[in-house]
Amino acid sequence: MRAMVLAAGLGTRLRPLTDDRPKALVEVAGHTLLEITLRHLQQFGVREVIVNVHHFADMVVDYLKKQDNFGMRIEISREDVLLDTGGGLKKAAWFFLEDGRNEPFFVHNVDVISNIDLARMAQFHLEQDALATLAVQPRPTSRPLLFDSRGQFRGRANPGGPQPHPGMHALAFSGIHVLSPRIFDRITETGAFSIIDSYMRLVAEGEKIVAFRADEYYWRDLGRPENVAAAARDIQTGKLDRTNIRSS
């Protein structure tokens, strides 16, 4: 499988760590967020990746060159203007469609860390015959997503508002997707846009977008300095095995 790493954001929540570097090159326990993401993908057989860049873009390019791309084929998708998750994915469509390929692929935020079993997630995606599969967990979040009793995505939940009616579940998205390449035929939005907004339109049109429950796995958002520090502590204390963030 191939993958896209979403790394183009400004990393404003990570300041001051991102004052002189992109968020992809912020370190946790001596490893950059980009390395951690790539190593996680590598563990499950991903060898070809496209990374979108914008903020301090050349630093990411130079870093990957010095690391010999971690032994992977890595393409760079430069965004002169930030395109958000949906626009960034759409710009990278060529990478997933070249050579007539027609296989599912991962999309992974660079600022999350987890030990989610991506092989299990990909198999679930195939079994569900879904357009998109989202790794989700029942944890606090400011941006909950709503799923029905069958695990079908139904839209955004209202944080702090009325609870969803029985049979609906408000769950936290973990920033990891598996997508079928036909998504590119269904994305009609242009410019900068959120892929979640596209998902909302697509489910209304009858597409199947489902939840992969990742309740049993470690996951942490790395979007703030205090979260980076907490992840480092989790590694030091063994809550997250260091083998999950380095090559074997």
Side-chain angles (χ1 to χ4, degrees), residues 5 7 18 20 29 52 88 98 106 117 132-133 139 156-157 164 174 180 182 205 211 215 221 242 246:
V5 176
T18 50
D20 61 353
N52 69 339
E98 68 177 358
F106 294 107
D117 187 334
T133 298
R139 53 179 167 75
R156 287 191 174 93
S174 296
S180 295
R182 63 186 182 87
E205 295 173 2
D215 305 18
D221 167 58
R242 187 176 284 270
R246 70 183 184 200

Side-chain angles (χ1 to χ4, degrees), residues 2-203:
R2 294 183 176 185
M4 180 170 191
V5 176
L6 297 174
L10 298 176
T12 53
R13 294 185 304 146
L14 271 168
R15 288 175 179 162
L17 300 180
T18 50
D19 284 347
D20 61 353
R21 70 191 65 192
K23 65 180 178 180
L25 300 188
V26 169
E27 293 190 359
V28 176
H31 302 269
T32 65
L33 304 193
L34 183 55
E35 178 190 355
I36 290 168
T37 302
L38 292 173
R39 295 299 192 195
H40 189 205
L41 292 165
Q42 271 185 321
Q43 289 178 18
F44 297 96
V46 174
R47 295 293 180 267
E48 298 179 88
V49 177
I50 188 165
V51 180
N52 69 339
V53 295
H54 172 76
H55 186 54
F56 291 116
D58 289 338
M59 289 183 69
V60 176
V61 173
D62 292 344
Y63 169 77
L64 288 170
K65 187 179 297 183
K66 289 177 182 176
Q67 300 296 328
D68 195 26
N69 287 339
F70 294 97
M72 308 170 80
R73 174 199 171 191
I74 297 182
E75 300 287 346
I76 297 295
S77 180
R78 289 181 178 266
E79 297 182 10
D80 296 329
V81 176
L82 282 172
L83 296 174
D84 206 340
T85 52
L89 174 64
K90 187 173 183 176
K91 187 175 190 294
W94 68 268
F95 178 75
F96 300 105
L97 300 176
E98 68 177 358
D99 303 325
R101 285 178 177 256
N102 188 34
E103 61 183 18
F105 59 92
F106 294 107
V107 176
H108 197 303
N109 289 4
V110 78
D111 55 359
V112 301
I113 185 171
S114 81
N115 60 4
I116 291 174
D117 187 334
L118 299 182
R120 183 181 164 202
M121 184 177 173
Q123 183 60 37
F124 178 83
H125 174 82
L126 291 172
E127 291 170 353
Q128 293 292 312
D129 191 27
L131 180 68
T133 298
L134 312 182
V136 297
Q137 295 176 321
R139 53 179 167 75
T141 178
S142 62
R143 295 177 291 182
L145 300 182
L146 198 60
F147 296 84
D148 66 21
S149 59
R150 297 174 296 120
Q152 171 76 20
F153 176 58
R154 292 302 179 194
R156 287 191 174 93
N158 182 18
Q163 292 299 305
H165 63 74
M168 290 287 184
H169 305 279
L171 298 168
F173 178 42
S174 296
I176 303 173
H177 332 223
V178 181
L179 300 177
S180 295
R182 63 186 182 87
I183 187 81
F184 297 114
D185 292 329
R186 303 291 286 118
I187 294 177
T188 58
E189 292 80 3
T190 59
F193 61 94
S194 166
I195 192 62
I196 299 297
D197 289 340
S198 297
Y199 290 163
M200 292 175 65
R201 174 181 58 80
L202 289 168
V203 294

Side-chain angles (χ1 to χ4, degrees), residues 202-215:
L202 289 168
V203 294
E205 295 173 2
E207 291 288 355
K208 190 175 185 181
I209 297 173
V210 300
F212 174 77
R213 293 294 294 262
D215 305 18

